[in-house]
Amino acid sequence: MKGIGLATSPSWYCSKVSGCNVNGLLAFGGRNSIIFLDATAEPPVFLGWICQFRNRINSLAWNVNIERLGCSGDEDGKVHVWDAETQTVIAEKQNIHKNKVTVVDWLCSDVVVAADDRGHIFTWRFSHDDVQYFHPEPQAVTCMSCSPHTSTNIAIGYKSGLLLVFDLSKKGKVLHKLRGHDEEIQSLVWCPNLTDDINKPGDDCVNERDLSRGSLASGSRDRTIRLWCLAKERSLSTLRLPTSNSSRSHGDDQSARSRTYLTLLWPKNMPNELISSSHGGEMLQWSLGKSGKGKYQVFRAGVSSSTHSRTIFNIVQVSSDTLCSFSMDRQIILWDFPALCSKSTIPTVGGVVTALAVSSQTGRLAIGCGDALLRTWNLGSSGSFYDVQSFWQGVKAKVTAVAWHPVKEGWLAYATEEGRVGIYDVLSTKGPMLSSSYHRGTIYSLVWGKPCSVDGSHDAGPWFFTLFSCGDGVIFQHNPSRLQDEAEDINTLIRTTNNLKLKLPMRTEIAWKPNFSIAAIGNDDGSIELFAATSLRLVCTLHAHCKIINCLRWHPEFTQASSGASRCSCWLASGSNESDVLVYDLTAVLDKKSNIDSGTPSEEARSPRLITECSQLLSGHKNRITSLAWSSHVDGLLASVSYDGTAQVWNALTAAPIANFRGHQNRVLCVEWSQSDADLVYSGGEDYTVQSWRVTEQEFRTPPEQKSKSKGKHKGSKRHHQPTETEAVKASTEDSEKLPAGQQEMNNVGQLLEEKRQQLLLDAGKVTAEKVTAREVNVVSATEAFVGTGGSFGQQVSEVASSAEDILPEDLHLTVSVSAPQAAVESEKISRHASLAGKPKKKKVKSLLPVCSGHDNRGKHFAYQDCILLSDLFYGSETVKTEAAERSSHLGLFTDRRGVFDLLKTEGLHHQKMGNIDYQLLLEIWKGNIGGTLKTASEKNCLSDYLVAVASISSQDPACWRPVCHQFAKQLAAEENHQRAVLYLLACNDVYAALDLLLEHGMYREAVALGKCRLSSRDPVLVKIYLAWVCQLSKDGNYELAAKCLLAIRKPADAASLLAKRADAYCLKVAAHVCTRAADDGRARAHVLRYVQHCRLAGNLQEVVDTLGVHRQLKGYELACTVQQLLVTQLLHLTALPPDTAVARMEKLQYLPEFPVATGNATPPGSETDLTQPWRTLLLQEQPFLSFIAHMWDLHLPVTMATVAVAELYDDLRGNQQASGSQTNDETLIVFLSNEIAMCVLSLLLSDAGAAAVHLSNCLGTSGIVGRPDLLRSVCNLIFPYGCDNAKSFLVNLSLPVKLQTKERDSGNITASQYETLRVEGAHLLAGSSDVSNREASHVGSAESLAGSRNVSNCEVSHVGGAESLAGSSDVSNREASHVGGAESLAGSRDVSNCEALHVGGAESYM
């Protein structure tokens, strides 16, 4: 915790929750932790904290003799002793009464005294674990102070205003009982200087100086300070707080009194001065020797610090010239005591830190907290390190999001848990500007962006921005210049712009790119949609997450490390309820958007892309991701925080973890980088702190492993084991032998109590003697609150404690007051046994619909089949509907009324067979067959009270029995007899009330059955029932049954979305089937793409082809599957691919022949072999690898190879291809290579050799293949069968595909003339030619063949886009193509010459 920014606030309304030791180390309790502050440093520095406590700390005190020891008490009745140097708890004791500990103090070096809110006082010598209890007054103790002069005397103040002084050396004898205060005592302090005999009663030698000074001071809620003389047992003088200005102006004295908290400090060596708190945060110095107006002075504000604005609870003396105060305004102020002014203000946090944002203009850090305060921290302030401003006007709730205006300096927008949006100008004193539009729930995201509209009416110039708030599933757009107008729901604009009619997903996050050209919106189904500004046209959908999106962050456009635009400027990071962070490289998507915006593209080009994989996967966190932040200093440096309680820094370029910060003690919710320091990060979370930490100083690189949760099987069996009588006696004897004499005596007392308890239980007949075990005897008789192990803390404690042995008498720890509290506990146990003995065991109700329930519980596979049946039944052809109806008898709840009647008939027959006649009759009544039911019951002698009541439906005057039936139904429902209650409601013909009753108690299945029987099929209540059931099933994770419900109410898109949440292969297939039947092609395509990706990664190629047979628009993937099978076959033969991968165990395509393996028995005629670098020649049936692929497509695939068809196949594959950096294993690498090779061959068929060169370069430049020489060599041998000398030079110097596309030159190992030749000839770089002559290209972008040729001559391309053959030819001549679409052959020919393409679009043919 060193270097913490803002700590948690001290606890309120505690009389002694702070303290300072002799070294100036300040400690205070905040929530369930103790924070240490070095008050002597400038500025003050937080040194650490102890956060091992589970409950709120109410009091703490420092040990006077051992400066590093302290003690504390919490609300659970525990007292702790801790070491400030190691910041650990060294001893802990549970109060036997388990009441809230209100105050603790040190009686001596190893004795702690504590008091609780029931008046119990106990002392604990922790070095020997001896405990003593007192209970002098049955009322709450509010404050306590141990005398610094007589170590056994303590003063205790009570809630009633009573003040007692005890002498613990005389077994808790009350020395003085002082009365004078009318209300609770809030503070007690001893005079620092006293004579030895001033506290002796009846002593008349006390001089006037001591009388005027007194010996004890008390402060009370009655707004008085009393000075007590213990020798006279009376009040010497009374000081009254001055009247506050606020109470005088409002005249509400009672209200002012309730807000008053009067705490005192008697400074050391200054007996005539007293410090106290006053009204409204004032602090007073009283001069006890003066009277009148000059008897007190008010502390004032210093030059660079302020005073308190609310009630002060504690005042502590740090040194002779420094005081410290703690207030309700969540500020800690250090005071210059001699000057009576403040010198330093330390802000604290009183709630969960939910949001952080750094301003690029002012350098201020905005902090959103759960204490209804908005804070700004001026990190660059030269006057004070803790220059923090707090804003409360208009907030009124937990601040959940903050955002600085991109241009206007000082404008800060905030959002709250109540759905409120406001804007503060932090550089002025004005109040906030509030939006008139509210969200219904919490706002989780708030960003500034470009105004969005269909016609651009909101756009008022390049520097005009609107505010976007995301909460309760929608995003509102607020106009800052007209906040009084209603905010616009951007879903309406999205529907209009994109012509959408389907239900939109719930919005959970929004993030604008720094240049405000595009907005990313996260949804609850895990998808991320990219929209173009300002019309919100859908550009792309990212669907790599499976759970709700929590945070989105765009990489900055510029960083300090980059000279121009950052190379990561198009990167988007996302976090969800999953534990991984995903990073997307969207360069290709945004480049396509720019081209569309600058031209007039076709409708196909404007269609949005779907991306299902990320570019980088950052794995390491163990729980959901809550916030992300990119560094503005270094490219690709990303910080993430998680529910696992850590903050992680990543290098997103390499997906490598850099540092892990573990300083938080609870879940971390927000993170931000410093704008001025590249190594500094700020984070906040549920531990109520804002912490600043440096990346380079962290010890760990990755988050810690989570501890596995034990299921407790062995513990459970041990817990319920009942030892035999012999074992019990033996255990009792062994335990008693180990105990000292005093403990054995207390055990005898406990045994007597246990015997009495057993006798009472036996008399009541509740237990038998055999069930009483020795373990129970030991638990009762151990009296762990009174005796301990007898260990010591250490040599230092033992030495100091030895001098204090005479403080408590030897027999004091044996004076055990166990009888009263323990007897009460035993009495409570007996009464609890007696009350539980008379309760009958609840009988489990049988299911009314067991057949239907049995079908629904068969498993996921059967549920998927049911979804297919329902979609066929609702949306299939007549033949399909007939076939589905024959197999859907168990799906009556999800079909029509006839189906429900058939289902209830089946259920009735089942109940009749099982002997449950009552249930069969009940179902018949649900169907409305009352007459038949009564006749059947009469014949079988099964009439009952509810059947008779149902018979009243035929009565002519229902006014007499209908109210009675309603009342009886309520009674039955209160007795949890819901089924009979429904019957009586039906007897009154109140179907809706019956349905509400079933829904209220979660009986959704019964509600559907009843609603289907009694209501019209168009009644909206049926939809309400199904939706309520869907909501509950979704919470339970039963997505399959929820999908069936959604299909029943004709919501196939929602059903498919629920099924897709499983993210396994078969559920995606079912979701695609449902969408296809419902004619929702867009969603069907998305699910099919994800399913195809799953199957290809698993090697199920035949399943992919079968699936694509239904979806003709995705036939391009069938070509890729062919390439994948061929590529895997060759790589396995070349031993370049491990045989244990999933793709290696692929399910081969049935319609393709067995592929031959590549052989190296062919060499180009006339070529010379380079013995120093031999190239392995690999041909398939005397054809190069790429030629063989085209040959297989033409022979075996039912795909038309016309130009238009090939172009469509190419666009289909390219539109969904992932970036080259997302291959994390062999499976994803093979899929990527297959797609690129397939697109390469399609590009050659389209005469686009330049695109083919790009795809081949992508194959050899992907991160998955780099570093694997065997795999790289094998792929090169397949692609370039006769060598790739030029390709080698090109790929070494231009390894990234981006460099090829943008024509950047890297002159490391290549000359300028060579580079110009490569640039002009394009794809010729990848050719195997070693002699290129007499060649002319008439256009910069022309590209020659990717061939195995060694000698290509007299070749000319006359068009810009022309491309020569990709062939195994060694001599190309005398060939001419005279047709527009003609193409020269890609053949195994050895002699092809004089080749010329005469047409603009001409390309050489594949033969």
Side-chain angles (χ1 to χ4, degrees):
M1 185 170 169
K2 269 191 176 182
I4 185 173
L6 302 180
T8 181
S9 299
S11 300
W12 291 355
Y13 296 104
C14 297
S15 62
K16 195 175 184 180
V17 77
S18 61
C20 187
N21 68 0
V22 295
N23 297 326
L25 181 60
L26 195 65
F28 62 90
R31 296 182 68 243
N32 58 343
S33 58
I34 296 175
I35 300 96
F36 299 103
L37 175 68
D38 185 1
T40 61
E42 187 59 40
V45 179
F46 289 100
L47 298 182
W49 60 359
I50 302 176
C51 48
Q52 305 173 18
F53 315 109
R54 294 186 177 182
N55 298 279
R56 178 177 182 257
I57 300 298
N58 293 324
S59 180
L60 64 81
W62 285 98
N63 194 312
V64 179
N65 299 307
I66 308 175
E67 63 273 6
R68 63 191 181 99
L69 286 188
C71 64
S72 58
D74 61 22
E75 291 196 352
D76 194 36
K78 290 182 180 179
V79 178
H80 325 89
V81 176
W82 35 265
D83 188 346
E85 289 186 1
T86 61
Q87 296 180 5
T88 56
V89 176
I90 61 176
E92 185 177 86
K93 195 65 177 178
Q94 173 70 58
N95 179 8
I96 191 174
H97 310 288
K98 296 185 178 180
N99 300 321
K100 179 175 71 174
V101 175
T102 55
V103 64
V104 295
D105 205 347
W106 288 92
L107 193 62
C108 62
S109 300
D110 68 337
V111 178
V112 179
V113 57
D116 61 27
D117 60 349
R118 298 296 179 88
H120 298 99
I121 302 167
F122 68 96
T123 59
W124 171 37
R125 176 170 290 173
F126 75 94
S127 60
H128 296 82
D129 205 13
D130 291 340
V131 180
Q132 173 187 358
Y133 280 84
F134 307 97
H135 195 198
E137 290 288 335
Q139 54 179 308
V141 176
T142 56
C143 57
M144 179 178 64
S145 180
C146 293
S147 173
H149 313 289
T150 305
S151 57
T152 58
N153 287 9
I154 59 172
I156 296 179
Y158 289 91
K159 194 175 184 65
S160 64
L162 177 64
L163 195 158
L164 299 181
V165 179
F166 293 91
D167 185 355
L168 296 182
S169 64
K170 299 179 180 179
K171 299 183 180 181
K173 179 182 178 181
V174 177
L175 298 180
H176 309 285
K177 181 175 289 189
L178 309 175
R179 297 184 182 274
H181 290 292
D182 299 328
E183 297 186 43
E184 72 172 89
I185 299 178
Q186 297 173 331
S187 180
L188 285 173
V189 289
W190 292 87
C191 181
N193 299 329
L194 283 178
T195 59
D196 294 337
D197 56 355
I198 194 171
N199 60 347
K200 295 180 182 179
D203 193 351
D204 295 332
C205 65
V206 180
N207 55 41
E208 291 296 325
R209 183 170 58 87
D210 289 331
L211 286 176
S212 64
R213 185 175 58 212
S215 56
L216 184 67
S218 60
S220 171
R221 177 174 286 183
D222 60 12
R223 295 185 288 182
T224 63
I225 303 172
R226 291 184 178 268
L227 304 179
W228 303 90
C229 178
L230 300 185
K232 299 294 184 178
E233 290 192 356
R234 64 183 179 86
S235 174
L236 295 177
S237 63
T238 301
L239 306 175
R240 298 187 180 275
L241 294 183
T243 306
S244 64
N245 295 329
S246 59
S247 64
R248 279 199 305 265
S249 59
H250 293 83
D252 190 359
D253 185 71
Q254 186 62 33
S255 176
R257 177 173 297 185
S258 63
R259 294 193 302 268
T260 300
Y261 198 92
L262 210 168
T263 183
L264 301 176
L265 170 67
W266 215 323
K268 298 177 182 178
N269 302 321
M270 300 181 68
N272 294 320
E273 305 293 333
L274 187 66
I275 311 298
S276 76
S277 61
S278 186
H279 307 285
E282 288 184 342
M283 203 160 76
L284 308 179
Q285 180 189 24
W286 299 86
S287 298
L288 303 184
K290 295 182 180 181
S291 61
K293 294 183 179 180
K295 64 181 178 181
Y296 68 86
Q297 296 181 10
V298 181
F299 284 74
R300 65 184 185 279
V303 177
S304 60
S305 60
S306 60
T307 60
H308 290 295
S309 59
R310 302 182 69 184
T311 304
I312 298 175
F313 294 115
N314 283 173
I315 303 174
V316 177
Q317 186 171 10
V318 177
S319 62
S320 60
D321 59 351
T322 303
L323 304 180
C324 182
S325 59
F326 302 84
S327 169
M328 189 185 287
D329 60 8
R330 306 191 188 283
Q331 293 192 93
I332 303 173
I333 297 182
L334 297 179
W335 303 86
D336 187 344
F337 188 17
L340 298 182
C341 66
S342 59
K343 64 179 183 178
S344 181
T345 302
I346 306 169
T348 60
V349 179
V352 176
V353 181
T354 56
L356 295 174
V358 177
S359 171
S360 58
Q361 290 101 3
T362 63
R364 295 175 184 262
L365 177 66
I367 306 170
C369 298
D371 57 1
L373 287 177
L374 176 65
R375 294 174 173 84
T376 60
W377 186 0
N378 188 1
L379 302 175
S381 174
S382 58
S384 173
F385 177 75
Y386 295 104
D387 185 4
V388 176
Q389 283 183 286
S390 298
F391 305 90
W392 58 271
Q393 292 181 346
V395 179
K396 299 181 180 180
K398 177 181 178 181
V399 179
T400 55
V402 291
W404 291 98
H405 195 281
V407 178
K408 292 190 177 182
E409 184 176 349
W411 271 36
L412 176 62
Y414 68 92
T416 69
E417 190 177 34
E418 295 179 347
R420 183 191 299 264
V421 175
I423 302 174
Y424 255 109
D425 185 356
V426 300
L427 302 181
S428 71
T429 58
K430 297 180 180 179
M433 299 177 288
L434 298 177
S435 174
S436 61
S437 300
Y438 287 75
H439 286 268
R440 292 178 296 176
T442 303
I443 299 175
Y444 293 104
S445 181
L446 191 68
V447 294
W448 292 91
K450 281 295 183 180
C452 299
S453 63
V454 177
D455 54 0
S457 59
H458 285 308
D459 195 354
W463 305 113
F464 181 71
F465 296 91
T466 56
L467 190 60
F468 295 83
S469 60
C470 179
D472 53 75
V474 298
I475 298 177
F476 286 162
Q477 180 180 209
H478 308 264
N479 189 337
S481 61
R482 295 195 302 270
L483 289 177
Q484 70 277 7
D485 296 344
E486 184 178 358
E488 182 179 1
D489 186 351
I490 68 169
N491 279 345
T492 304
L493 177 57
I494 292 174
R495 289 180 183 274
T496 304
T497 304
N498 299 278
N499 194 21
L500 299 178
K501 297 181 180 179
L502 299 174
K503 178 182 178 182
L504 296 178
M506 301 285 285
R507 311 299 188 183
T508 59
E509 176 70 351
I510 179 172
W512 279 86
K513 201 170 183 296
N515 62 1
F516 301 100
S517 62
I518 197 163
I521 296 179
N523 304 316
D524 66 336
D525 59 356
S527 64
I528 303 170
E529 296 173 318
L530 304 183
F531 295 93
T534 58
S535 62
L536 293 184
R537 175 180 57 82
L538 181 61
V539 175
C540 180
T541 300
L542 314 176
H543 212 313
H545 288 287
C546 296
K547 296 183 179 180
I548 182 173
I549 301 299
N550 292 329
C551 48
L552 295 171
R553 276 296 184 102
W554 289 94
H555 193 281
E557 291 288 324
F558 304 92
T559 60
Q560 295 182 7
S562 59
S563 57
S566 172
R567 55 176 171 170
C568 307
S569 60
C570 296
W571 284 22
L572 175 66
S574 64
S576 68
N577 275 5
E578 301 162 322
S579 58
D580 296 330
V581 178
L582 306 186
V583 180
Y584 305 88
D585 184 359
L586 301 173
T587 304
V589 176
L590 300 184
D591 288 346
K592 177 182 177 182
K593 171 189 172 296
S594 300
N595 295 334
I596 292 174
D597 294 341
S598 60
T600 56
S602 62
E603 187 64 27
E604 181 179 356
R606 294 179 63 90
S607 61
R609 290 181 56 181
L610 175 65
I611 297 178
T612 58
E613 287 188 1
C614 62
S615 301
Q616 293 288 6
L617 178 67
L618 309 180
S619 299
H621 282 296
K622 303 303 183 294
N623 210 324
R624 67 178 63 178
I625 308 300
T626 54
S627 182
L628 300 168
W630 291 98
S631 172
S632 61
H633 304 273
V634 183
D635 287 342
L637 207 57
L638 177 67
S640 62
V641 293
S642 167
Y643 266 20
D644 61 13
T646 67
Q648 180 70 39
V649 177
W650 310 87
N651 183 354
L653 296 172
T654 61
I658 296 178
N660 181 256
F661 175 68
R662 304 183 183 181
H664 288 280
Q665 302 301 323
N666 212 323
R667 299 184 293 194
V668 191
L669 302 180
C670 49
V671 64
E672 274 291 342
W673 289 84
S674 171
Q675 292 289 325
S676 58
D677 192 336
D679 194 40
L680 191 61
V681 182
Y682 297 93
S683 57
E686 292 185 348
D687 56 2
Y688 289 37
T689 63
V690 177
Q691 304 204 31
S692 58
W693 46 277
R694 295 193 173 275
V695 178
T696 55
E697 294 179 356
Q698 302 312 307
E699 177 183 358
F700 304 98
R701 294 185 61 188
T702 57
E705 294 294 332
Q706 284 188 333
K707 297 180 180 179
S708 59
K709 296 182 179 180
S710 175
K711 296 183 179 180
K713 292 183 178 180
H714 300 289
K715 293 182 180 179
S717 59
K718 210 172 196 180
R719 188 184 304 117
H720 297 290
H721 170 65
Q722 300 292 342
T724 62
E725 184 177 357
T726 305
E727 292 174 346
V729 173
K730 182 179 179 181
S732 178
T733 305
E734 291 176 352
D735 291 343
S736 62
E737 290 175 354
K738 296 177 183 179
L739 297 175
Q743 297 181 18
Q744 292 183 18
E745 181 178 346
M746 284 180 286
N747 283 347
N748 295 333
V749 177
Q751 288 176 4
L752 293 175
L753 290 171
E754 177 61 20
E755 292 174 2
K756 182 62 177 178
R757 184 180 72 88
Q758 294 173 14
Q759 185 62 39
L760 292 173
L761 293 175
L762 289 173
D763 293 343
K766 302 301 185 296
V767 296
T768 59
E770 288 79 5
K771 292 184 179 180
V772 181
T773 65
R775 187 179 302 274
E776 294 173 343
V777 176
N778 292 334
V779 168
V780 176
S781 60
T783 58
E784 59 183 358
F786 297 91
V787 295
T789 59
S792 60
F793 168 65
Q795 183 177 1
Q796 183 181 8
V797 176
S798 300
E799 292 175 356
V800 181
S802 60
S803 62
E805 289 294 336
D806 57 342
I807 294 178
L808 300 179
E810 192 63 28
D811 60 341
L812 190 57
H813 70 282
L814 298 180
T815 311
V816 183
S817 59
V818 71
S819 57
Q822 194 67 31
V825 172
E826 298 303 326
S827 176
E828 182 181 353
K829 289 183 179 179
I830 295 173
S831 61
R832 185 163 60 247
H833 279 288
S835 62
L836 293 176
K839 289 186 178 179
K841 186 177 180 180
K842 183 184 290 187
K843 185 178 180 181
K844 187 176 181 180
V845 180
K846 296 181 180 179
S847 174
L848 277 174
L849 306 173
V851 176
C852 178
S853 301
H855 279 84
D856 290 339
N857 295 328
R858 290 177 299 172
K860 295 180 182 178
H861 178 74
F862 293 98
Y864 295 147
Q865 296 297 329
D866 290 344
C867 292
I868 293 175
L869 275 177
L870 287 174
S871 61
D872 292 345
L873 188 62
F874 294 150
Y875 305 105
S877 61
E878 293 300 326
T879 305
V880 173
K881 288 182 179 180
T882 303
E883 295 176 355
E886 295 175 355
R887 296 181 291 128
S888 60
S889 59
H890 62 287
L891 297 175
L893 294 180
F894 312 99
T895 57
D896 52 7
R897 178 175 293 185
R898 186 184 188 90
V900 175
F901 272 74
D902 293 341
L903 176 64
L904 294 184
K905 181 179 179 181
T906 303
E907 298 284 0
L909 294 176
H910 174 77
H911 286 306
Q912 182 181 2
K913 182 179 178 181
M914 301 303 296
N916 299 326
I917 305 300
D918 289 343
Y919 282 21
Q920 182 187 15
L921 298 177
L922 188 149
L923 293 177
E924 289 297 321
I925 294 176
W926 281 22
K927 292 164 61 177
N929 186 16
I930 300 176
T933 303
L934 294 175
K935 181 179 179 181
T936 302
S938 300
E939 292 174 354
K940 296 184 178 182
N941 296 323
C942 297
L943 287 173
S944 60
D945 56 346
Y946 66 87
L947 290 177
V948 175
V950 171
S952 303
I953 294 179
S954 60
S955 173
Q956 297 298 324
D957 185 14
C960 298
W961 54 267
R962 182 166 294 175
V964 177
C965 287
H966 269 285
Q967 186 62 32
F968 191 42
K970 292 181 180 179
Q971 179 181 334
L972 291 173
E975 296 172 357
E976 298 185 359
N977 197 343
H978 311 305
Q979 295 167 357
R980 290 185 62 189
V982 169
L983 283 177
Y984 279 95
L985 291 173
L986 293 178
C988 304
N989 200 24
D990 197 347
V991 180
Y992 293 108
L995 292 174
D996 290 339
L997 178 62
L998 292 174
L999 288 178
E1000 181 182 354
H1001 294 89
M1003 304 173 71
Y1004 303 102
R1005 195 184 305 274
E1006 290 80 358
V1008 170
L1010 179 58
K1012 286 274 189 176
C1013 291
R1014 291 299 188 94
L1015 301 179
S1016 169
S1017 59
R1018 298 182 179 180
D1019 197 316
V1021 174
L1022 285 176
V1023 178
K1024 172 188 173 183
I1025 295 173
Y1026 275 116
L1027 291 179
W1029 196 5
V1030 167
C1031 183
Q1032 184 59 42
L1033 291 171
S1034 300
K1035 292 180 180 179
D1036 298 338
N1038 193 349
Y1039 297 136
E1040 296 77 20
L1041 186 54
K1044 289 158 65 174
C1045 294
L1046 290 171
L1047 287 173
I1049 57 177
R1050 307 303 191 269
K1051 291 183 177 293
D1054 295 339
S1057 298
L1058 272 182
L1059 290 173
K1061 283 190 175 183
R1062 291 289 187 202
D1064 58 60
Y1066 193 72
C1067 73
L1068 292 173
K1069 183 178 180 180
V1070 174
H1073 180 89
V1074 171
C1075 292
T1076 302
R1077 288 295 189 191
D1080 189 353
D1081 295 335
R1083 294 181 187 270
R1085 175 187 174 91
H1087 296 314
V1088 169
L1089 281 177
R1090 296 178 65 189
Y1091 176 64
V1092 166
Q1093 186 72 5
H1094 272 278
C1095 293
R1096 292 186 66 189
L1097 292 175
N1100 300 329
L1101 302 183
Q1102 186 60 44
E1103 178 64 24
V1104 174
V1105 174
D1106 295 342
T1107 303
L1108 296 179
V1110 181
H1111 304 274
R1112 307 299 302 177
Q1113 69 273 24
L1114 300 174
K1115 293 297 290 183
Y1117 286 93
E1118 189 169 355
L1119 304 181
C1121 288
T1122 306
V1123 177
Q1124 181 175 342
Q1125 181 174 338
L1126 178 58
L1127 179 63
V1128 171
T1129 302
Q1130 306 308 318
L1131 293 179
L1132 287 175
H1133 171 66
L1134 298 173
T1135 67
L1137 188 67
D1140 57 345
T1141 58
V1143 291
R1145 301 188 298 270
M1146 61 184 174
E1147 177 187 356
K1148 297 183 178 180
L1149 302 177
Q1150 298 175 359
Y1151 58 83
L1152 291 179
E1154 286 292 330
F1155 288 133
V1157 294
T1159 59
N1161 56 356
T1163 305
S1167 63
E1168 296 181 0
T1169 303
D1170 186 356
L1171 298 179
T1172 60
Q1173 292 183 346
W1175 188 265
R1176 185 175 183 182
T1177 304
L1178 296 176
L1179 300 177
L1180 286 83
Q1181 294 181 350
E1182 300 302 321
Q1183 299 183 63
F1185 182 70
L1186 301 180
S1187 303
F1188 189 78
I1189 291 174
H1191 186 61
M1192 290 296 102
W1193 288 354
D1194 188 42
L1195 290 179
H1196 300 288
L1197 264 67
V1199 178
T1200 304
M1201 288 300 174
T1203 304
V1204 177
V1206 171
E1208 292 177 353
L1209 295 173
Y1210 176 80
D1211 291 339
D1212 183 26
L1213 279 176
R1214 182 169 176 79
N1216 297 283
Q1217 176 67 333
Q1218 302 304 311
S1220 61
S1222 60
Q1223 292 75 47
T1224 57
N1225 50 39
D1226 289 338
E1227 289 77 8
T1228 56
L1229 177 62
I1230 291 298
V1231 171
F1232 176 80
L1233 293 177
S1234 304
N1235 292 346
E1236 291 292 342
I1237 294 174
M1239 288 188 286
C1240 171
V1241 177
L1242 289 173
S1243 300
L1244 292 171
L1245 291 175
L1246 293 171
S1247 304
D1248 191 352
V1254 171
H1255 293 303
L1256 289 182
S1257 179
N1258 287 343
C1259 290
L1260 304 181
T1262 179
S1263 61
I1265 201 172
V1266 174
R1268 300 180 62 178
D1270 294 340
L1271 182 59
L1272 180 61
R1273 185 183 304 109
S1274 300
V1275 174
C1276 289
N1277 286 334
L1278 287 171
I1279 295 177
F1280 313 117
Y1282 299 118
C1284 61
D1285 298 335
N1286 290 338
K1288 279 185 180 180
S1289 300
F1290 174 72
L1291 292 175
V1292 168
N1293 294 280
L1294 299 173
S1295 58
L1296 292 176
V1298 174
K1299 293 187 176 181
L1300 180 63
Q1301 296 176 38
T1302 58
K1303 300 181 177 61
E1304 292 181 5
R1305 179 165 67 91
D1306 184 356
S1307 59
N1309 297 316
I1310 188 169
T1311 64
S1313 59
Q1314 289 174 330
Y1315 173 80
E1316 185 64 20
T1317 302
L1318 295 178
R1319 186 182 69 82
V1320 173
E1321 296 186 353
H1324 179 65
L1325 296 168
L1326 298 179
S1329 174
S1330 59
D1331 182 17
V1332 184
S1333 61
N1334 300 324
R1335 184 181 303 273
E1336 180 179 352
S1338 59
H1339 189 267
V1340 174
S1342 64
E1344 293 184 6
S1345 64
L1346 270 146
S1349 175
R1350 292 289 183 178
N1351 184 12
V1352 185
S1353 60
N1354 300 324
C1355 179
E1356 178 176 346
V1357 180
S1358 60
H1359 186 261
V1360 173
E1364 295 181 7
S1365 65
L1366 182 74
S1369 173
S1370 59
D1371 186 16
V1372 185
S1373 61
N1374 300 325
R1375 182 177 298 276
E1376 176 176 331
S1378 59
H1379 188 264
V1380 172
E1384 295 182 6
S1385 65
L1386 182 75
S1389 173
R1390 292 296 179 183
D1391 186 15
V1392 186
S1393 60
N1394 298 327
C1395 176
E1396 182 176 2
L1398 301 178
H1399 188 264
V1400 172
E1404 296 177 1
S1405 63
Y1406 287 91
M1407 296 177 60

